[in-house]
């Protein structure tokens, strides 16, 4: 199954036409597996989760695989596992805002607005111009019934996007 998806990736990218170069050694590299994961995420959630597990078996320190698997769990509605994977991604790359943003989205979906705001605050400490963090925080404020604060956040998002 992975070979079929790799063939598709090869067809999509002229630089990868030399299929004979893809052997067991290259397949062991997490970057290739993560590329397949991203393709698979569009194909099927269960297959993508299986591939994410495989990527993490091959490289237990793959920031991208933890982040992607967390997002897949998030799509499945498994917030507990999603948050655990986002925490692992955060530990592997503490200067990245992405795990905080993903955690904020999960907390927002679960109605944990205070936690979502705290995660957005953490993302904004890392990147004060994070458009997604301002928008997520605005959504949290809307859920809290704080429309004035939400409007301020949307304004900040607009400035960050410029």
């Amino acid at each position: 199954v992975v070979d079929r998806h790799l063939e598709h990736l090869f067809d999509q990218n002229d630089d990868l036409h030399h299929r004979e170069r893809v052997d067991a050694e290259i397949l062991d590299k997490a970057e290739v597996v993560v590329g397949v994961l991203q393709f698979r995420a569009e194909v099927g959630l269960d297959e993508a989760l299986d591939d994410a597990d495989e990527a993490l078996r091959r490289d237990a320190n793959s920031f991208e695989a933890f982040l992607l698997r967390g997002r897949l769990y998030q799509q499945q509605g498994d917030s507990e596992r999603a948050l655990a994977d986002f925490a692992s991604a955060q530990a592997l790359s503490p200067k990245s805002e992405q795990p905080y943003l993903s955690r904020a989205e999960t907390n927002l979906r679960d109605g944990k607005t205070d936690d979502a705001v705290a995660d957005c605050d953490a993302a904004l400490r890392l990147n004060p111009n994070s458009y997604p963090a301002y928008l997520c925080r605005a959504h949290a404020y809307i859920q809290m019934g704080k429309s004035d604060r939400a409007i301020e956040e949307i304004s900040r998002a607009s400035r960050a996007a410029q």
Side-chain angles (χ1 to χ4, degrees), residues 13-33:
N13 188 340
D14 290 337
D15 294 335
L16 299 176
H17 278 295
H18 304 291
R19 180 165 171 81
E20 63 275 3
R21 294 173 63 199
V22 178
D23 57 15
E25 180 181 341
I26 292 175
L27 286 176
D28 283 338
K29 293 184 179 180
E31 296 86 13
V32 172
V33 176

Side-chain angles (χ1 to χ4, degrees), residues 8 10 17 30 42 75 105 137:
H8 180 73
F10 284 117
H17 278 295
E42 299 170 9
Q75 288 176 20
E105 291 171 10
R137 204 160 61 175

Side-chain angles (χ1 to χ4, degrees), residues 119-130:
D119 288 328
C120 291
D121 291 345
L124 287 164
R125 280 191 294 278
L126 293 171
N127 178 4
N129 294 316
S130 177

Side-chain angles (χ1 to χ4, degrees), residues 16-107:
L16 299 176
H17 278 295
H18 304 291
R19 180 165 171 81
E20 63 275 3
R21 294 173 63 199
V22 178
D23 57 15
E25 180 181 341
I26 292 175
L27 286 176
D28 283 338
K29 293 184 179 180
E31 296 86 13
V32 172
V33 176
V34 169
V36 172
L37 286 175
Q38 290 169 337
F39 174 77
R40 278 274 183 92
E42 299 170 9
V43 175
L45 196 55
D46 291 333
E47 290 177 358
L49 280 167
D50 289 344
D51 287 345
D53 291 339
E54 178 63 24
L56 289 166
R57 275 192 292 279
R58 292 172 187 254
D59 180 1
N61 294 313
S62 174
F63 166 82
E64 294 85 2
F66 274 115
L67 195 60
L68 180 61
R69 189 175 72 176
R71 289 178 179 154
L72 293 168
Y73 283 138
Q74 185 184 56
Q75 288 176 20
Q76 261 190 343
D78 191 341
S79 297
E80 186 175 327
R81 283 181 162 172
L83 292 170
D85 277 353
F86 298 146
S88 294
Q90 177 190 355
L92 290 168
S93 186
K95 301 248 186 244
S96 174
E97 71 186 278
Q98 290 304 313
Y100 290 105
L101 293 172
S102 296
R103 224 169 55 182
E105 291 171 10
T106 302
N107 284 323

Side-chain angles (χ1 to χ4, degrees), residues 141-142 145-154:
Y141 286 138
I142 289 168
K146 299 178 179 181
S147 56
D148 290 343
R149 299 275 311 261
I151 291 168
E152 290 172 17
E153 294 304 311
I154 292 169

